[in-house]
Amino acid sequence: MSETVAQFLERIKKLAVEKQVEELRQAIEYHNYKYYVEAAPEISDLEYDRLVQRLVELERQHPELITPDSPTQRVNERPLEGFRPVTHRVPMLSIDNTYNEAELREFDRRIRRWLLGETVEYVVEHKIDGVSVSLIYEKGRFTLGATRGDGRVGDDITQNLRTVRDIPLRLRTTGSIPDILEVRGEVYMTNTELSRLNRLQAERGEKPFANPRNAAAGTLKLLDSRLCAERRLRFFAHSEGYLEGLPMRTHIQFLEWVRQLGIPVVPHSPALRSIEEVIAYCSAQFQARHDLDYETDGMVVKVNDFQQRERLGATSKAPRWAIAYKVELWQASTRILRITVQVGKTGVLTPVADLEPVHIAGTKVSRVSLHNADEIARKDIRVGDHVIVEKAGKIIPHVVRVELEKRTGKEKVFHFPTQCPACHGPVVRDPGGVYIRCVNPSCPAQLKERLRFFAHRQAMDIEGLGPALIDQLVDQGKVRSIADLYRLQLADLAELTLTGEKQSRKVGVKTARAILERIEASKSRGLARLLTGLGIRHVGERNARLLARHFRSMEALLRAREEDIAAIPGIGPVVAASVVQFLHAPEGRQLIQELTKLGLKMTEEEAAPATLPLAGKTIVVTGTLAHFSRQGIEDLIEELGGKVASSVSSKTSFLLVGDKPGSKLDRARELKIPILTEEEFLKMLSSATEQHAS
């Protein structure tokens, strides 16, 4: 029986709706991928919500088109009565922990010993402080999600995991997908979301969550997925579980494959071939923790090659091919009293929070950098806020998050200045960057910072020319540039004021004369110290030494092309561009010309390496020395022809040991590297000098 015209039109209409529904689902999945996986959204939240709402309307009108993997089906309207147990096909083992470099090196030695000296690559991942879960995909569709539990049996939390928008309900088709794919990872809550959630908890009269991990764990155990959806959990994949056929041979390939399937993966390193590279990467990541909106408690080091992993195997508790390198965290709650903005030597405006003093890891913390305007906006930091301040590894404190639940309404939004707070000149944001700079070359705040840096011990070493005197010299108009330091007269300094703890007094003629003598002596410091003191962006002591040793004179450096400078090992294009820009800008060239006329040494002698006591030696320093600062001993070693290394290896000539040495001492003993105390080192230098003199 042939269909009627009406039936034909109805069928065509239904096909059109089906096509529209599928196109909407694909669009929503695409934008989820761009937002959650690539962190590169292409549409606004409003536009995204409109797509979802249109799909909801069509599915309401045509309920027969609703499928379990539709983006609208993330939240179950019916609460569960409880969680059923799930047995993991492959046990979810824990990972062994370490807090020090020595044990990390021992892990590396075990790996290489078990693999009989094979080449080993490592991948280092952020250790997310969240809740471990397992995701099962069957023929590309999310069918089961479970907690780790005791490693063998967990809870079925599929209904709650469906509300996590990072987790795709249907994988992107990028070729063949195993019929069964298990991806494991970490569900976490951002600091921003925790602050928002705790504010809601406070408004409801409920107890706030102590930290993001507790909040994430509590959320996943809710029986009502509607409440779970309100809490905006996130997910990072970090490993494989059970899967039928592994289409790659390395962990990095697996992570990239999973990312292409539409699942966000944990931030990780490239493949690293030595444990020293691993340690350096971990150290850099620990220092950058304040930039993250999620909490980590360390890094996870994994063997990259899957075949090597299989041969290494596992104990009853943990795989032998992975270790967690954790960092000790110290936190405290305090309040922001005010926010001020400092102007640095390169014009960068840095917001700094004055805090109600709080003790963290044995020291009093009363100030903390807020880094930049974007950081303040991202964390919604306001004057009067209660905040969690953290020291990772007892080092530099930073604000982790705002305790929004403690807000009273009296807190004040901080408006980042649109003019330089020191000179009221224009400010601009770095192209593509986060820093806002004062672009007035005559800004007194910049000048003061440049002068302080120029006079610093590691630069031109002008003892006695401290911040208080520099402030007065600039404020009184006696110094308008670095070159003006060398034009100062006795009267200019003698009438300045020294401020002590009990009373203030004039500098006086005697002290003024001593400072002038030190200024005069600084003229002979040489090219490396001068390049350090000029405050060129990206040029610290190391780069200044590299430039000075390569070119030997300011004249040669001025003639050099940018590509010539970039070709120097350890310099690179970013530093080279900054050097060329500084030296060839009108202000930079004028300053160099003035300093040359004033008699500053613009060359660097090339010492005869064979005649120097430490020529050809590579030296590592550990512990606190009695007679030298760390910078002082490194300067001395390099001046005497030696090379300073940061870690002990077979190429190390000897280890110089001070008080309270670290793990480098153990490493030197293992490698049978000579170990010298400070006294032995000085005797060796004295003996070498006498031999040379004779």
Side-chain angles (χ1 to χ4, degrees):
M1 178 177 170
S2 61
E3 64 180 350
T4 64
V5 173
Q7 290 172 329
F8 173 76
L9 293 175
E10 186 63 28
R11 182 165 60 85
I12 295 299
K13 182 179 178 182
K14 184 176 180 181
L15 288 172
V17 172
E18 289 176 356
K19 182 180 179 182
Q20 188 177 3
V21 165
E22 184 58 29
E23 288 176 347
L24 282 168
R25 288 174 181 169
Q26 290 179 2
I28 292 168
E29 289 167 358
Y30 171 79
H31 290 299
N32 279 339
Y33 178 80
K34 298 298 290 185
Y35 184 90
Y36 292 109
V37 179
E38 294 191 345
E42 295 181 352
I43 60 174
S44 66
D45 290 348
L46 179 60
E47 291 172 304
Y48 176 86
D49 290 342
R50 284 172 177 167
L51 290 176
V52 175
Q53 188 56 41
R54 178 59 181 151
L55 180 59
V56 169
E57 291 173 359
L58 287 175
E59 289 183 346
R60 185 182 296 120
Q61 295 167 8
H62 302 274
E64 72 279 4
L65 299 181
I66 298 176
T67 60
D69 60 359
S70 171
T72 64
Q73 300 305 298
R74 288 189 173 272
V75 180
N76 196 321
E77 298 297 323
R78 186 176 303 170
L80 295 173
E81 295 181 0
F83 297 105
R84 70 179 183 88
V86 173
T87 301
H88 301 297
R89 295 196 190 191
V90 177
M92 293 183 70
L93 301 179
S94 59
I95 297 178
D96 289 335
N97 295 329
T98 179
Y99 286 88
N100 63 70
E101 294 178 10
E103 290 182 1
L104 204 54
R105 290 191 176 95
E106 177 57 33
F107 164 77
D108 175 62
R109 284 191 290 275
R110 288 198 306 269
I111 293 293
R112 295 179 187 277
R113 185 168 61 247
W114 283 328
L115 294 176
L116 302 177
E118 290 181 15
T119 299
V120 180
E121 289 184 338
Y122 294 110
V123 181
V124 184
E125 302 170 346
H126 285 197
K127 188 176 186 301
I128 311 300
D129 198 12
V131 180
S132 295
V133 301
S134 162
L135 311 178
I136 302 291
Y137 287 87
E138 298 183 27
K139 298 187 182 300
R141 297 179 186 274
F142 178 51
T143 57
L144 176 65
T147 62
R148 177 182 176 275
D150 63 4
R152 299 187 179 278
V153 179
D155 289 331
D156 180 350
I157 56 169
T158 308
Q159 184 166 293
N160 284 341
L161 289 177
R162 290 173 65 88
T163 70
V164 181
R165 292 190 178 275
D166 290 296
I167 299 174
L169 302 181
R170 180 172 58 179
L171 296 176
R172 291 164 58 88
T173 53
T174 58
S176 61
I177 301 175
D179 285 346
I180 297 179
L181 168 63
E182 180 183 2
V183 176
R184 292 173 175 176
E186 209 80 8
V187 171
Y188 66 97
M189 181 177 286
T190 64
N191 287 312
T192 299
E193 178 59 17
L194 176 68
S195 294
R196 186 193 71 87
L197 177 59
N198 275 346
R199 181 175 55 191
L200 294 175
Q201 293 285 99
E203 291 172 357
R204 297 166 181 160
E206 299 174 4
K207 184 179 178 181
F209 290 98
N211 54 59
R213 190 190 186 285
N214 287 359
T219 299
L220 289 178
K221 300 298 293 201
L222 292 171
L223 296 175
D224 191 341
S225 64
R226 291 171 296 185
L227 296 177
C228 187
E230 292 176 0
R231 296 189 180 179
R232 306 173 188 173
L233 295 177
R234 305 294 301 272
F235 176 79
F236 276 135
H238 58 52
S239 58
E240 76 289 348
Y242 176 84
L243 66 164
E244 297 179 349
L246 192 62
M248 66 286 300
R249 65 178 187 83
T250 68
H251 182 60
I252 282 185
Q253 290 172 347
F254 173 78
L255 291 178
E256 177 57 27
W257 178 61
V258 167
R259 192 187 70 82
Q260 291 176 2
L261 292 177
I263 305 174
V265 299
V266 64
H268 60 278
S269 73
L272 305 173
R273 287 200 162 195
S274 76
I275 200 64
E276 299 308 321
E277 290 181 3
V278 168
I279 290 171
Y281 182 85
C282 290
S283 177
Q285 293 299 308
F286 289 157
Q287 295 301 317
R289 288 180 71 255
H290 64 262
D291 293 329
L292 304 175
D293 194 27
Y294 54 85
E295 294 201 359
T296 70
D297 56 355
M299 309 297 291
V300 179
V301 182
K302 299 179 178 179
V303 171
N304 190 27
D305 188 278
F306 284 146
Q307 289 185 357
Q308 289 180 335
R309 288 187 184 183
E310 188 174 348
R311 286 153 53 201
L312 289 166
T315 66
S316 60
K317 296 181 179 179
R320 293 192 179 96
W321 44 262
I323 192 169
Y325 181 29
K326 303 184 76 172
V327 60
E328 295 181 272
L329 304 178
W330 290 267
Q331 294 184 342
S333 175
T334 185
R335 193 167 70 91
I336 293 179
L337 301 177
R338 66 189 62 82
I339 297 176
T340 57
V341 175
Q342 297 178 342
V343 184
K345 64 182 184 295
T346 61
V348 172
L349 273 58
T350 301
V352 177
D354 291 330
L355 309 171
E356 288 183 347
V358 61
H359 282 83
I360 307 177
T363 60
K364 184 172 73 172
V365 177
S366 58
R367 306 191 83 206
V368 62
S369 172
L370 300 180
H371 305 292
N372 53 66
D374 288 3
E375 181 81 350
I376 292 175
R378 181 170 69 85
K379 294 181 177 177
D380 189 21
I381 297 172
R382 305 180 185 182
V383 177
D385 267 335
H386 286 81
V387 293
I388 298 295
V389 176
E390 175 187 281
K391 275 188 178 181
K394 298 184 180 179
I395 309 178
I396 299 172
H398 68 273
V399 172
V400 176
R401 64 178 179 275
V402 175
E403 297 183 280
L404 293 178
E405 69 277 11
K406 294 183 179 180
R407 276 190 175 162
T408 63
K410 296 180 180 179
E411 296 77 13
K412 296 180 180 178
V413 174
F414 178 75
H415 298 286
F416 208 84
T418 56
Q419 294 180 322
C420 174
C423 69
H424 308 294
V427 297
V428 297
R429 181 184 286 265
D430 286 353
V434 299
Y435 293 113
I436 296 173
R437 298 176 189 272
C438 169
V439 294
N440 174 15
S442 302
C443 173
Q446 288 185 58
L447 176 58
K448 289 176 181 178
E449 289 300 318
R450 286 198 295 271
L451 291 169
R452 288 167 190 158
F453 191 76
F454 187 82
H456 195 273
R457 184 178 59 217
Q458 296 171 3
M460 301 300 278
D461 193 15
I462 306 175
E463 187 180 351
L465 192 64
L469 296 187
I470 287 173
D471 285 349
Q472 294 173 69
L473 289 170
V474 174
D475 292 341
Q476 295 176 20
K478 295 177 179 178
V479 172
R480 292 186 171 85
S481 74
I482 287 174
D484 282 347
L485 287 177
Y486 297 95
R487 301 186 179 104
L488 288 172
Q489 302 297 312
L490 192 65
D492 294 327
L493 289 166
E495 292 303 310
L496 300 180
T497 302
L498 288 173
T499 303
E501 293 184 4
K502 296 182 178 180
Q503 61 181 0
S504 299
R505 62 179 178 83
K506 294 293 183 181
V507 170
V509 172
K510 184 178 179 180
T511 302
R513 183 174 288 115
I515 294 173
L516 287 176
E517 289 173 356
R518 291 164 190 154
I519 292 174
E520 183 66 23
S522 74
K523 290 182 179 180
S524 62
R525 300 283 187 244
L527 182 60
R529 300 287 285 271
L530 176 61
L531 288 173
T532 301
L534 290 176
I536 303 170
R537 285 180 68 185
H538 309 302
V539 177
E541 284 181 86
R542 290 282 180 197
N543 287 338
R545 286 198 191 106
L546 290 173
L547 291 167
R549 288 174 180 173
H550 184 85
F551 292 104
R552 297 297 170 186
S553 71
M554 182 66 78
E555 184 180 358
L557 181 56
L558 286 168
R559 289 198 307 266
R561 298 173 302 172
E562 188 172 318
E563 52 266 36
D564 297 331
I565 300 174
I568 299 172
I571 294 295
V574 174
V575 176
S578 181
V579 170
V580 170
Q581 181 181 7
F582 179 91
L583 294 179
H584 293 279
E587 298 86 357
R589 186 169 282 277
Q590 180 181 345
L591 176 59
I592 298 301
Q593 291 172 349
E594 289 186 58
L595 293 177
T596 301
K597 291 178 181 178
L598 287 164
L600 271 75
K601 184 178 178 182
M602 296 281 173
T603 58
E604 192 79 9
E605 280 87 6
E606 184 172 5
T611 67
L612 295 174
L614 300 179
K617 296 186 183 297
T618 299
I619 301 160
V620 177
V621 183
T622 185
T624 303
L625 301 179
H627 301 94
F628 300 93
S629 67
R630 179 55 58 92
Q631 191 59 54
I633 193 64
E634 290 182 357
D635 287 345
L636 177 63
I637 290 169
E638 293 188 348
E639 286 172 8
L640 297 178
K643 176 184 176 183
V644 179
S646 59
S647 59
V648 177
S649 71
S650 58
K651 297 180 180 179
T652 303
S653 302
F654 64 83
L655 177 71
L656 175 56
V657 178
D659 187 38
K660 297 181 181 179
S663 59
K664 295 173 184 176
L665 178 58
D666 296 331
R667 178 64 170 163
R669 286 170 175 164
E670 291 166 4
L671 295 178
K672 298 182 179 179
I673 301 297
I675 299 168
L676 297 183
T677 65
E678 189 174 359
E679 295 303 321
E680 291 170 335
F681 173 71
L682 292 173
K683 287 180 181 178
M684 182 192 74
L685 290 182
S686 176
S687 175
T689 303
E690 289 174 2
Q691 290 176 11
H692 177 66
S694 62

